[in-house]
């Protein structure tokens, strides 16, 4: 009887063990990156206090509900640095000392490289989540490690919540998913972890011709304690599941937090439009995935290929001795590509600086000279990969080969004879039906050619002067043979104003856009308090040498998907027609964008509509 009872109890215990979820009590380091090979640096090249943080959601599949026992951060150098602290807080603190939990490190015990700081009391990650960060002060700038002391990681995927920065007295900036990477920070987690689990990151939307295919790059992250060698997955396109397919990794995803990119073919089908996509991992090493989540994206299927123009935003300054190669690179690129190339020279910290670009510079530009092509690639402003000569044309050609969803044509007009205000008509012709969605924004830049001036503010520093390394590059000969400070230079493509330039555009285009049907979008450019327009003689600015650029921005990726540049002309009031016909018979006055104007008895210079008819105030 007792033997039978004991046997029954053993069976019950065994059954309960078998039915338990696949979890394990363990301790593990975890963060938004894999290892040290992914490190990059960021800084503002001056003595300042830096704060960096990442956010851990209380619902995160790995970290949610766990406790943090230690924080790991990376210190490039111990020279010219002090007050190193690590902290945790429910909200981003005004300073490290105001965080919920603060640990002031023993500076003498810190290493150059990784440092593990143990918390006196483990911190539980509640449903609200937690910000984890560290701070330090740079006392003076003497070396590269002082100029760019904040350590980031460039491996993808970039995680929302992966990077917050606060430098000096600035407010916190959320730099997540802006191209800067994630913060090089890890936490030691304690708790029960899944063993066989994979998380799928949302992936970038893609453009593909109908009846063609696309190779999607999708990141898989190990959220379990066992390595991942292979997966089975299902792809859903526009609501239709594919058959289950198999993928084998070339390198095992070792454990928690390790991620890898998989490349999956996706067929576009024969209809155009925006098609939702999802990717889910069904099995890991032959066993069911313990996480049920989908990586999501969209496929933009377009009817035909259109000519794509490439915008180069080159960040430069007269104080920058290496920047002349960027000037030459832009000059050569324009000669090769003509109207298919649109150059914008963005000056910073000199007499030609454009303050409208400051937000973008602070978030994206890591040094000078710096180049971005369509905000999708960041090659050198001049060199090829071997740095043996001009090679920017290779990257421009690659960007031109990418598909664009729309034709963009810009028509800018001076609305007064003195050329102090501008109305812009941008014609958009999408090659797919957007189905009422408008996931795009228009950014505008005004550039000027022929700027020059007297005095030291206009001298261009030139580090190529007499340097034998550049003696055989015929394109740089003028700088090699020139002085260390060049006077009398004329500057072209200079950005003198910008609108909706920031990293994340919120001013989206609106309206219904049907495949192959051109539609106009109107914009009034505010030039009030613009130093170039108000004081043209200070820059030798000829308003006939001013050009206007419209850039169509994909708000998901931040990339410029097409653009156009045009010279400004004097407005013919009969030459512009409303994109949407409106019957207005209430004696109210509207601007060219269709916004009702409160006159208060007077109207500023510009073009207006009353009772359906246009009139100009000069």
């Amino acid at each position: 009887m007792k033997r039978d009872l004991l046997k029954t109890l053993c069976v019950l215990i065994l059954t309960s063990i078998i039915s338990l979820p696949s979890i394990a009590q363990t301790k593990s380091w975890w963060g938004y990156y894999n290892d040290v090979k992914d490190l990059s640096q960021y800084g503002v090249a001056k003595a300042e206090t830096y704060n960096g943080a990442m956010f851990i959601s209380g619902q995160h599949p790995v970290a949610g509900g766990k406790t943090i026992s230690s924080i790991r951060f990376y210190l490039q150098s111990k020279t010219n640095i002090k007050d190193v602290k690590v902290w945790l807080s429910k909200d981003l603190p005004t300073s490290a000392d105001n965080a919920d939990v603060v640990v002031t490190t023993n500076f003498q015990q810190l290493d150059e490289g990784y440092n593990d700081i143990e918390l006196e009391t483990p911190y539980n990650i509640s449903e609200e989540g937690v910000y984890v960060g560290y701070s330090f002060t740079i006392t003076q700038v003497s070396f590269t490690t002082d100029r760019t002391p904040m350590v980031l990681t460039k491996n993808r995927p970039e995680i929302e919540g992966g990077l917050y920065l606060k430098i000096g007295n600035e407010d916190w900036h959320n730099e997540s998913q802006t191209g800067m990477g994630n913060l090089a920070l890890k936490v030691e987690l304690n708790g029960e972890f899944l063993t066989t689990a994979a998380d799928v990151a949302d992936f970038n939307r893609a453009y593909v011709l109908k009846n063609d295919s696309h190779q999607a790059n999708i990141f898989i992250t190990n959220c379990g304690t066992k390595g991942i060698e292979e997966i089975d997955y299902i792809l859903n396109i526009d609501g239709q599941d594919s058959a289950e397919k198999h993928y084998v990794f070339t390198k095992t995803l070792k454990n928690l937090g390790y991620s890898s990119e998989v490349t999956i073919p996706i067929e576009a089908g024969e209809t155009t439009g925006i098609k939702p996509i999802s990717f889910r991992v069904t099995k890991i090493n032959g066993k069911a995935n313990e996480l049920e989540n989908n990586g999501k994206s969209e496929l933009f299927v377009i009817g035909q290929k259109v000519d794509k123009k490439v915008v180069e935003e080159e960040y430069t300054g007269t104080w920058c001795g290496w920047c002349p190669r960027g000037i030459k690179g832009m000059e050569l690129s324009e000669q090769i590509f003509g109207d298919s190339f649109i150059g914008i020279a963005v000056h910073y910290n000199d007499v030609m600086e454009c303050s409208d670009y400051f937000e973008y510079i602070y978030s994206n530009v890591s040094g000078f000279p710096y180049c971005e092509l369509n905000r999708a690639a960041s090659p050198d402003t001049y060199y090829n990969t071997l740095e043996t000569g001009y090679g920017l044309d290779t990257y421009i050609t690659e960007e031109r080969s990418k598909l664009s969803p729309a034709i963009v044509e810009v028509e800018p007009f001076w609305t007064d004879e003195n050329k102090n205000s501008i109305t812009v008509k941008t014609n958009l012709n999408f090659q797919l039906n957007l189905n009422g969605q408008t996931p795009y924004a228009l950014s505008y830049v005004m550039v000027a050619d022929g700027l020059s001036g007297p005095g030291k503010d206009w001298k261009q520093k030139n580090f190529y002067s007499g340097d034998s390394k550049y003696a055989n590059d015929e394109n740089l000969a003028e700088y090699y043979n020139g002085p260390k400070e060049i006077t009398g230079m004329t500057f072209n493509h200079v950005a003198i104003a910008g609108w909706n330039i920031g990293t994340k555009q919120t001013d989206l285009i609106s309206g219904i856009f049907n495949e192959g049907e051109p539609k106009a979008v109107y914009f009034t450019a505010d030039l009030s308090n613009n130093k170039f327009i108000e004081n043209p003689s200070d820059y030798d600015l000829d308003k006939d040498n001013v050009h206007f650029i419209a850039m169509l921005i994909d708000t998901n990726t931040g990339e410029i998907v097409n653009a156009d540049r045009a010279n400004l002309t004097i407005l013919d009031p009969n030459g512009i027609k409303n994109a949407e016909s409106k019957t207005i018979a209430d004696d109210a006055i509207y601007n060219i964008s269709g916004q009702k104007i409160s006159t208060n008895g007077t109207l500023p210079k510009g073009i207006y509509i009353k009772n359906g008819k246009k009139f100009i105030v000069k």
Side-chain angles (χ1 to χ4, degrees):
M1 180 82 173
K2 289 183 179 179
R3 183 178 300 171
D4 291 340
L5 179 60
L6 181 60
K7 183 177 179 180
T8 302
L9 288 173
C10 287
V11 170
L12 289 173
I13 292 170
L14 181 59
T15 303
S16 65
I17 292 173
I18 292 173
S19 65
L20 282 175
S22 180
I23 56 177
Q25 181 79 25
T26 189
K27 177 184 291 189
S28 179
W29 285 101
W30 170 87
Y32 294 133
Y33 69 103
N34 289 350
D35 48 41
V36 295
K37 68 181 181 181
D38 301 312
L39 298 184
S40 65
Q41 293 76 44
Y42 176 79
V44 294
K46 62 180 180 179
E48 197 57 273
T49 296
Y50 287 78
N51 281 273
M54 67 178 184
F55 179 72
I56 304 174
S57 168
Q59 287 73 48
H60 191 277
V62 171
K66 308 298 189 301
T67 59
I68 299 172
S69 56
S70 299
I71 299 173
R72 173 179 290 172
F73 69 95
Y74 194 93
L75 195 63
Q76 289 194 79
S77 171
K78 294 180 67 174
T79 304
N80 299 332
I81 189 171
K82 67 175 184 178
D83 298 337
V84 182
K85 302 172 183 177
V86 298
W87 52 265
L88 303 98
S89 190
K90 286 285 192 296
D91 301 298
L92 289 168
T94 54
S95 69
D97 291 335
N98 292 320
D100 298 336
V101 177
V102 185
V103 179
T104 301
T105 65
N106 185 330
F107 189 78
Q108 300 302 319
Q109 295 180 1
L110 294 179
D111 295 321
E112 293 184 347
Y114 279 114
N115 290 273
D116 296 345
I117 307 300
E118 186 176 354
L119 303 180
E120 186 174 329
T121 302
Y123 186 97
N124 182 62
I125 303 173
S126 65
E127 290 186 1
E128 299 169 276
V130 62
Y131 291 93
V132 183
Y134 72 108
S135 72
F136 56 85
T137 297
I138 295 295
T139 57
Q140 64 181 31
V141 173
S142 305
F143 309 99
T144 300
T145 52
D146 308 321
R147 299 172 63 85
T148 55
M150 183 65 72
V151 182
L152 311 178
T153 65
K154 296 296 286 186
N155 75 311
R156 299 183 66 86
E158 292 185 352
I159 305 297
E160 179 56 45
L163 179 61
Y164 294 82
L165 291 176
K166 173 179 166 55
I167 301 174
N169 293 321
E170 292 183 6
D171 293 332
W172 281 98
H173 292 275
N174 183 358
E175 304 295 356
S176 307
Q177 300 178 318
T178 62
M180 293 180 67
N182 302 317
L183 188 64
L185 197 69
K186 287 193 174 186
V187 292
E188 188 178 41
L189 298 175
N190 299 267
E192 293 182 340
F193 294 88
L194 299 172
T195 58
T196 307
D199 184 45
V200 185
D202 290 343
F203 46 107
N204 286 341
R205 62 174 63 148
Y207 297 94
V208 59
L209 288 170
K210 65 179 181 180
N211 297 318
D212 206 346
S213 62
H214 166 68
Q215 300 294 315
N217 297 320
I218 305 171
F219 271 87
I220 311 294
T221 301
N222 191 345
C223 293
T225 56
K226 288 187 176 180
I228 298 178
E229 297 174 353
E230 55 190 39
I231 59 171
D232 293 288
Y233 67 90
I234 290 176
L235 189 66
N236 183 289
I237 305 174
D238 210 14
Q240 297 296 315
D241 272 353
S242 70
E244 191 173 58
K245 299 181 180 181
H246 193 68
Y247 184 92
V248 178
F249 290 93
T250 56
K251 187 177 181 180
T252 301
L253 303 187
K254 292 191 292 187
N255 50 30
L256 293 170
Y258 275 75
S259 62
S260 181
E261 183 180 69
V262 301
T263 301
I264 302 298
I266 300 177
E267 299 298 325
E270 60 184 11
T271 60
T272 66
I274 303 175
K275 300 181 180 181
I277 312 170
S278 66
F279 178 97
R280 69 179 184 271
V281 175
T282 55
K283 298 186 185 74
I284 299 169
N285 304 335
K287 296 182 177 181
N289 183 9
E290 295 170 20
L291 279 178
E292 294 183 5
N293 72 319
N294 297 330
K296 300 179 182 64
S297 185
E298 294 170 314
L299 198 65
F300 282 54
V301 183
I302 62 179
Q304 64 179 351
K305 188 173 183 178
V306 303
D307 184 57
K308 185 172 184 178
K309 298 183 178 180
V310 176
V311 176
E312 179 197 349
E313 292 167 294
E314 181 219 342
Y315 296 88
T316 184
T318 56
W319 50 270
C320 170
W322 299 118
C323 286
R325 77 172 183 269
I327 297 172
K328 179 56 66 174
M330 188 175 289
E331 178 185 313
L332 293 171
S333 299
E334 189 168 46
Q335 290 175 10
I336 295 170
F337 295 98
D339 291 340
S340 295
F341 173 81
I342 298 173
I344 303 174
V346 183
H347 283 253
Y348 176 70
N349 201 28
D350 68 13
V351 68
M352 291 172 282
E353 73 175 9
C354 179
S355 60
D356 297 317
Y357 260 95
F358 283 178
E359 178 190 341
Y360 194 83
I361 290 173
Y362 296 153
S363 297
N364 294 275
V365 178
S366 58
F368 290 77
Y370 187 81
C371 166
E372 287 195 332
L373 298 179
N374 279 352
R375 300 190 176 179
S378 301
D380 187 82
T381 59
Y382 172 82
Y383 283 119
N384 55 37
T385 54
L386 300 177
E387 295 194 1
T388 55
Y390 171 75
L392 192 58
D393 57 332
T394 301
Y395 304 100
I396 294 172
T397 299
E398 183 179 345
E399 285 302 314
R400 286 205 70 211
S401 70
K402 294 180 180 179
L403 293 174
S404 172
I407 300 168
V408 178
E409 296 174 340
V410 66
E411 298 178 46
F413 302 92
W414 295 109
T415 57
D416 65 309
E417 293 181 357
N418 294 325
K419 301 179 180 178
N420 290 322
S421 59
I422 296 175
T423 290
V424 183
K425 176 185 177 184
T426 305
N427 299 302
L428 300 176
N429 187 342
F430 281 91
Q431 301 304 300
L432 75 165
N433 290 318
L434 294 181
N435 302 325
Q437 301 181 56
T438 53
Y440 296 97
L442 280 166
S443 296
Y444 302 95
V445 179
M446 190 160 64
V447 299
D449 293 336
L451 301 191
S452 63
K456 64 179 182 178
D457 290 341
W458 290 89
K459 289 182 178 180
Q460 174 66 55
K461 286 191 180 297
N462 174 28
F463 293 162
Y464 301 91
S465 176
D467 191 328
S468 59
K469 288 187 294 185
Y470 311 102
N472 297 321
D473 189 334
E474 60 181 5
N475 293 319
L476 297 179
E478 63 182 287
Y479 299 117
Y480 168 70
N481 295 315
K484 294 186 181 299
E485 286 191 331
I486 305 172
T487 59
M489 277 192 68
T490 298
F491 297 89
N492 297 320
H493 310 290
V494 178
I496 62 174
W499 298 267
N500 203 26
I501 292 297
T503 297
K504 294 185 178 180
Q505 285 75 22
T506 56
D507 187 13
L508 305 184
I509 60 173
S510 60
I512 303 299
F513 293 86
N514 296 316
E515 181 180 351
E517 294 181 6
K519 185 173 181 179
V521 176
Y522 290 89
F523 171 71
T524 301
D526 182 9
L527 294 173
S528 59
N529 300 318
N530 183 282
K531 64 181 183 180
F532 297 95
I533 297 301
E534 290 187 347
N535 304 291
S537 60
D538 291 349
Y539 306 93
D540 201 16
L541 172 65
D542 181 348
K543 293 183 182 179
D544 289 334
N545 288 333
V546 171
H547 319 285
F548 209 90
I549 299 164
M551 305 182 297
L552 185 65
I553 308 290
D554 181 322
T555 55
N556 176 264
T557 64
E559 295 181 14
I560 301 168
V561 292
N562 217 341
D564 192 33
R565 174 182 58 195
N567 297 331
L568 284 108
T569 58
I570 296 294
L571 176 70
D572 175 0
N574 298 314
I576 289 186
K577 298 179 181 179
N578 268 340
E580 296 178 11
S581 254
K582 295 182 182 179
T583 302
I584 304 172
D586 58 0
D587 289 327
I589 296 174
Y590 298 80
N591 65 19
I592 197 68
S593 300
Q595 298 169 317
K596 191 172 181 178
I597 301 297
S598 176
T599 65
N600 294 322
T602 59
L603 284 171
K605 295 177 182 179
I607 183 169
Y608 299 93
I609 302 169
K610 182 177 180 179
N611 293 334
K613 296 182 178 180
K614 301 182 184 68
F615 66 96
I616 295 177
V617 176
K618 297 184 178 179

